[in-house]
Amino acid sequence: MPALENRERRILALLRESGGAALGVQDLLIQTGWTDQAHVVGAAMGLVEKEYASVEEQESSRVRLGPEGIKALQLGLLEKRMLDWLRSIEPEQRTMAALSAAFDKSESGPGVGLLRGLGAIIESGKLILSDQDRAEQEIEDRVEFIRSLAETTHLVSDSNKDMVAHFSNRRDLIEIENTITRSWKASQKGLNLNSEDLVESELIGELTPDILQGESWRSMEFKPFDIHAPAPIPLGGRPHPLQSLIDRIRAVFLEMGFSEITGNYVQSAGWNMDALFIPQDHPARTMQDTFYLAEPASLDIEHDRLSQWKDVHESGGSTTSRGWGGSFDVNESKKALLRTHTTVNTVRHIAENPSKPSRVFGVGRVFRQETIDRTHLPEFHQIEGIIHEQNASLPMLITTLRTFYSKMGYSDVRVRPAYFPYTEPSIEVEILWRGEWLELGGAGIFRPEVTQPLGTDWPVCAWGMGLERLAMLILGLDDIRELYQPDLEVLSKMPLL
Ligand code: PHE
């Protein structure tokens, strides 16, 4: 049996004693001696919810005078005053001009409208009441109705519903109040209950140290919690959802044994692109795609690095590759830019630790010249990582990415062949989301043209995934811009990650 509150016990006891009669709020107020109607209704409705009682609801409407109605009571209804005026003068003198002189502008128009509704017509500037008896009768009824409301409100019923409908169409003459009258009866389940279950007892709402230290808790009854009750949502501070997601990603990679690396936004084209064997005439290197800096316009790079890249790009260096051919421009390498991917961080990490096995990751901001739309921003984040060790392999890479996404809640991961200038083989990673495969990033094994100048012979598993795309899936957004709008209302409603 679900625990009943004391008030519910009291009300159910009364409903069981009523001999089958339904009890209303007033009855229950009197019988309980309570003063708060809400207590009666709350307890009775609680019983209905738990099926110990049934409720009957009767809707009714009452009509009362509105502000214009009260005025009409003092001045007379407009149509009544017009009728009186018409009756006071000869039919030939009932001209519109005379009417305008006798009534204020704000009344003459609506008044004529009302008389027309009662069969009046206007002929050669004169107002003619064709069926004066009928109009008089109807006006008398209206006057009587308004007058009757001076004393008391009326239940809307068949006998007055036409009058109510008429005055409802006239502004502020009457007001309608709808009420629901409820009454309750014990259900069979309520009648079957043992009387002992209805004995009121003290219910404990809060456990205190005192209670716990003594023995009394053994026999106490505890107040049930209604976990579905609407409660105000406290407006406390919280991390931005994107920040929460980054923290979660960090936790996942750390848990998988990776260490975190970071890097600068400002990089040279050499480290951002040449080190990755991206040909110097690659379209993504143009000003249309990449933000180059005016200040500093160029950055220094060690001479040895430059000549190694030059070698690899022009002829493959000491690898078996033939390179891209053409001539490599070291000034192009020195150009300063805003990093276009975080792969620059992992490459630099290998350059600094060429003979140390490493598993590192980073989540960082990158910059590309993109037109802002639903799925693109010129600044976004990548989730980057590498495994650099003697036995690194493609299956190891795929397993790592599968593990990462499944820890993030997406266990269906598939890879497809792809192309990047710096990896071979190259793959694209997709996850299954609501029946659709969505591409979340690229990965692969760095080419020898990349690793050889970095000073390592070990294979490198590398990946770079989109953060915002993942955030949109997790937060259920369909516009990337929503992630960057400082609308506290919207942000406070995003799910906690
Ligand atoms: N840098 C690639 C991008 O920005 C992703 C990538 C990283 C691909 C590492 C392969 C290896 O899309």
Side-chain angles (χ1 to χ4, degrees):
M1 160 196 155
L4 292 181
E5 308 240 4
N6 279 335
R7 288 204 192 103
E8 293 171 336
R9 296 178 190 199
R10 183 74 184 281
I11 298 289
L12 184 52
L14 292 171
L15 295 180
R16 281 157 46 116
E17 287 159 16
S18 81
L23 300 180
V25 176
Q26 286 310 320
D27 305 317
L28 290 167
L29 274 176
I30 293 166
Q31 295 187 29
T32 52
W34 300 346
T35 49
D36 192 340
Q37 189 162 316
H39 289 164
V40 167
V41 176
M45 284 313 206
L47 290 170
V48 172
E49 206 169 288
K50 293 167 194 145
E51 295 175 354
Y52 290 109
S54 63
V55 62
E56 202 174 300
E57 300 190 335
Q58 221 161 24
E59 281 179 57
S60 59
S61 307
R62 297 197 75 85
V63 53
R64 73 160 90 90
L65 283 184
E68 287 298 316
I70 292 166
K71 252 195 235 164
L73 215 48
Q74 294 154 356
L75 306 174
L77 262 183
L78 179 55
E79 58 267 52
K80 166 70 172 152
R81 284 185 283 122
M82 280 214 167
L83 180 72
D84 289 347
W85 174 78
L86 282 177
R87 281 199 295 213
S88 71
I89 52 178
E90 293 302 318
E92 310 81 71
Q93 288 163 358
R94 297 174 182 172
T95 62
M96 293 302 283
L99 183 134
S100 299
F103 287 90
D104 188 79
K105 251 218 302 280
S106 65
E107 292 198 323
S108 49
V112 170
L114 286 166
L115 290 183
R116 279 181 144 167
L118 292 164
I121 49 167
I122 297 165
E123 227 173 62
S124 28
K126 285 193 193 122
L127 198 60
I128 300 164
L129 252 187
S130 44
D131 185 349
Q132 190 161 331
D133 288 348
R134 186 180 78 85
E136 279 178 11
Q137 185 56 53
E138 174 64 22
I139 291 174
E140 273 323 305
D141 291 347
R142 288 183 193 172
V143 169
E144 181 45 38
F145 179 73
I146 292 293
R147 197 179 296 140
S148 74
L149 286 173
E151 288 131 39
T152 173
T153 64
H154 292 314
L155 212 55
V156 178
S157 66
D158 276 354
S159 64
N160 61 16
K161 70 174 193 308
D162 292 341
M163 207 48 101
V164 169
H166 168 80
F167 282 113
S168 297
N169 289 328
R170 294 171 65 173
R171 187 137 66 92
D172 291 340
L173 273 159
I174 56 166
E175 284 167 1
I176 308 279
E177 188 185 55
N178 296 314
T179 48
I180 296 177
T181 315
R182 296 189 178 90
S183 55
W184 294 271
K185 268 187 201 172
S187 67
Q188 199 52 51
K189 187 174 161 192
L191 292 170
N192 289 347
L193 217 59
N194 290 330
S195 316
E196 303 93 77
D197 291 332
L198 295 182
V199 175
E200 290 167 46
S201 63
E202 198 200 338
L203 290 179
I204 308 299
E206 199 181 345
L207 264 185
T208 62
D210 277 355
I211 295 178
L212 283 172
Q213 278 158 17
E215 285 293 306
S216 58
W217 57 268
R218 290 184 190 278
S219 57
M220 279 177 177
E221 269 198 70
F222 294 96
K223 205 173 167 156
F225 283 108
D226 179 358
I227 58 165
H228 300 293
I233 297 170
L235 270 186
R238 54 175 283 190
H240 191 282
L242 206 54
Q243 190 57 50
S244 301
L245 180 61
I246 292 174
D247 289 343
R248 229 178 98 191
I249 290 168
R250 263 198 195 118
V252 166
F253 274 116
L254 291 171
E255 187 177 291
M256 288 168 68
F258 285 76
S259 309
E260 187 168 359
I261 56 168
T262 55
N264 292 333
Y265 293 165
V266 174
Q267 297 285 347
S268 58
W271 281 110
N272 191 82
M273 290 142 172
D274 297 327
L276 284 157
F277 198 51
I278 299 173
Q280 289 198 320
D281 59 2
H282 193 285
R285 297 181 66 140
T286 62
M287 300 266 268
Q288 280 85 51
D289 289 286
T290 300
F291 292 107
Y292 287 92
L293 300 187
E295 182 66 48
S298 75
L299 293 167
D300 276 343
I301 301 173
E302 287 166 57
H303 179 264
D304 286 358
R305 284 281 169 214
L306 288 172
S307 57
Q308 270 174 317
W309 293 337
K310 184 175 168 66
D311 244 20
V312 161
H313 277 248
E314 287 178 354
S315 59
S318 61
T319 69
T320 53
S321 167
R322 282 188 285 153
W324 296 113
S327 80
F328 184 90
D329 178 1
V330 293
N331 290 321
E332 193 59 40
S333 307
K334 291 179 187 165
K335 282 188 181 166
L337 47 71
L338 292 179
R339 70 183 182 203
T340 62
H341 53 189
T342 40
T343 317
V344 60
N345 291 350
T346 49
V347 163
R348 295 193 74 147
H349 177 79
I350 299 170
E352 283 154 25
N353 306 274
S355 43
K356 193 172 125 199
S358 57
R359 294 182 172 217
V360 296
F361 79 98
V363 183
R365 193 178 284 249
V366 299
F367 308 85
R368 291 181 195 175
Q369 295 250 27
E370 300 269 13
T371 313
I372 297 177
D373 64 21
R374 215 171 52 75
T375 52
H376 292 92
L377 288 175
E379 288 186 42
F380 55 98
H381 293 77
Q382 288 185 324
I383 310 165
E384 192 83 29
I386 50 163
I387 299 175
H388 170 223
E389 58 195 37
Q390 194 162 11
N391 296 316
S393 66
L394 187 66
M396 190 186 258
L397 172 61
I398 295 171
T399 305
T400 302
L401 296 175
R402 262 188 212 290
T403 308
F404 167 70
Y405 281 115
S406 93
K407 280 174 183 280
M408 294 303 294
Y410 298 94
S411 45
D412 288 308
V413 179
R414 76 175 185 189
V415 299
R416 302 205 302 166
Y419 174 78
F420 300 99
Y422 35 98
T423 47
E424 180 58 39
S426 304
I427 55 177
E428 225 163 64
V429 185
E430 297 182 326
I431 63 161
L432 189 61
W433 182 78
R434 298 187 186 165
E436 244 185 294
W437 287 102
L438 299 179
E439 200 226 299
L440 286 191
I445 308 287
F446 278 152
R447 295 175 72 107
E449 294 94 324
V450 175
T451 51
Q452 189 267 325
L454 292 174
T456 181
D457 292 330
W458 295 335
V460 180
C461 303
W463 63 88
M465 313 279 157
L467 172 74
E468 279 77 0
R469 191 80 187 270
L470 184 62
M472 286 166 73
L473 303 188
I474 293 178
L475 297 169
L477 309 178
D478 58 12
D479 191 322
I480 192 169
R481 289 167 289 199
E482 287 177 73
L483 288 170
Y484 288 95
Q485 264 154 15
D487 182 334
L488 293 182
E489 173 87 19
V490 173
L491 287 170
S492 69
K493 290 194 177 120
M494 287 193 190
L496 286 172
L497 298 179

